[in-house]
Structures are given as C-alpha cells and as structure tokens.
Amino acid sequence: MSGNIELLNTTLAATRAADRAALIAYLPAGFPTVDGGIEAVKAVIAGGADIVEIGLPHSDPVLDGPVIQTADDIALRGGVRIADVMRTVREAYEATGVPILVMTYWNPIDRYGVERFTAELAEAGGAGCILPDLPVQESALWREHAEKHGLATVFVVAPSSQDARLATITAAGSGFVYAASLMGVTGTRASVGAQAQDLVGRTRATTDLPVCVGLGVSNAAQAAEVAGFADGVIVGSAFVKAMLDAPDEAAGLAAVRSLAGELAEGVRKR
C-alpha cells in the first residue's frame, strides 16, 4: 500500500489556493493513553486542523521543551510502542481523511528498521515523517524507502541555517519544509519573532515546497501573524498543555477542540 504524500500535497495546495495558511497540529501518541491520544487527534481535526503530526514519544527529546517532555514521559510510562503510533495514525486517518504524519527522532526508526517502519506507516495511511535530527547527508536510505512507499520526508531548518545549507536540505525534502521559528526547544512563547519571517523568505528562495513554521505559536493572534508569511502554522505545546491542564480527559478533548477552532480562525485572518 502506498502512503499519502499526495493527500498532503493536495491539502497544502488547497489551503494556498484558498489564500490562507494550513493549521498543522502536533500531539504525541499514547498521551494521555493510546485511546485518549487518538480521540485528541480527532478533536483537533474537528476543531479545524488541516494536518496532524503524531509524535513518537522518546526518552531524550532534544528538540522538545518541558510540556511535550512531560507528555512523552506519561506515554512512555504507559507503555506506548511504535505499534501504538501506527494504530494512532491508522485510526485518525480512517476517521477523518486528513493527512497524518509522524514526527520522530531517528534512533527509534534505526532500531525498528527503515523498511519495516516505512512499510507500516504507509499501510496505516500515513503521509510521511518529520525527522528533526536526521542529517540530510545521512538520509539516503530513509529517502529511498520513503519514496518507495509514498511518504513525505520533512526536514527541519533553523534561523542559524546558512543559505547554502538551506538549499541542500530543501532539495532533499518533500511534502513541506518545517521552519523552526527560533533557536531552542518547543514551547509557547510571548512572541514568535522576526527571525521566523526571515527564515521563511530565505527558505522559499531555495524551493517550491511549502514552508511551515513551528515552535512558539500558542494563540490565534500569533497564528494570524505567522500565517501572514508562512504556508502553514504548526502548533504543538499549546495543545499538549491544554490536555495537561484539564481536570479530566473529556475536558481535555473539549479544550483542544476549542483551541483548534481559535487557531483555525487565526490562520484565516492573516
């Protein structure tokens, strides 16, 4: 079975044709439980998310701040496995028809096996993977199998990336480019900053791929600001925090659905 890179491409093309940015939500698999995590994905999509990233919980999440680390720890202590990540992708995709990607560090894929991981992700209906710590120059094996299985390979660029490096990264990627809005880890911020707009402009000079911005966006005003210059707005920590702060799972689902609605309105107001 082929993965859903074309669904991802057509979704991003449709939001661009509608003259707006896509809202991309991130939630970790297995948080607060595997079943609860699947319901949370459905909730953010019901609220207005166009695309969802499913995080593969990791014991050493170097890009993630304390909010996502806390959720990852809950998932790992609950016994989450890669099979649960695949189940989350499958059930979320089958229920909604929305492009679902996995965001993961490289080590779990390397241990699991690249061919096995890509084949299972495609079979689950996944659209691709975001790989924040896989160097482009070491990515040939992954890209070969991802392309074979119809999966996007999304690389992360940062404000520190030089123009020549940006060109190398974007030439190897597919689906979209994940532009980290600032140097540092994930988390909500009071301001997204001018660095992100500069990075988007420099990245666009190297590629026709959509450029989507993550790290720091937590409310409708920030979403609208980023949507003014980016093709997609990626929000993770704010959704996870809403779940963590809720008194129970039902309240958490209502909170993430409501937040998704506010953010979806924000990306349409750019």
Side-chain angles (χ1 to χ4, degrees), residues 31-210:
F31 167 74
T33 62
V34 176
D35 288 342
I38 292 167
E39 293 307 311
V41 175
K42 294 177 186 176
V44 296
I45 293 168
D50 300 292
I51 297 164
V52 175
E53 304 173 7
I54 303 298
L56 195 161
H58 194 272
S59 57
D60 185 25
V62 293
L63 184 69
D64 295 309
V67 170
I68 291 175
Q69 285 184 24
T70 298
D72 277 5
D73 185 57
I74 290 168
L76 291 167
R77 284 190 282 111
V80 71
R81 295 290 182 266
I82 288 177
D84 300 311
V85 177
M86 299 299 178
R87 181 185 153 212
T88 301
V89 172
R90 177 181 293 104
E91 294 194 15
Y93 169 65
E94 288 178 350
T96 67
V98 163
I100 311 287
L101 299 100
V102 170
M103 185 165 185
T104 178
Y105 297 99
W106 179 245
N107 181 257
I109 294 177
D110 193 37
R111 292 182 62 185
Y112 198 72
V114 174
E115 169 60 21
R116 181 183 177 193
F117 190 95
T118 51
E120 290 184 7
L121 182 56
E123 191 275 330
C129 250
I130 301 160
L131 301 160
D133 66 341
L134 176 62
V136 171
Q137 62 270 25
E138 298 174 18
S139 67
L141 178 66
W142 164 267
R143 287 186 286 126
E144 174 191 338
H145 288 288
E147 186 174 350
K148 180 172 78 171
H149 289 291
L151 299 169
T153 298
V154 178
F155 289 113
V156 178
V157 298
S160 60
S161 302
Q162 299 298 310
D163 291 351
R165 177 70 177 161
L166 289 175
T168 299
I169 293 170
T170 59
S174 56
F176 63 91
V177 182
Y178 186 126
S181 66
L182 39 75
M183 301 303 293
V185 297
T186 59
T188 60
R189 301 291 200 285
S191 172
V192 178
Q195 281 185 317
Q197 188 165 359
D198 174 70
L199 177 59
V200 170
R202 291 193 299 117
T203 304
R204 280 195 176 136
T206 71
T207 183
D208 291 328
L209 289 173

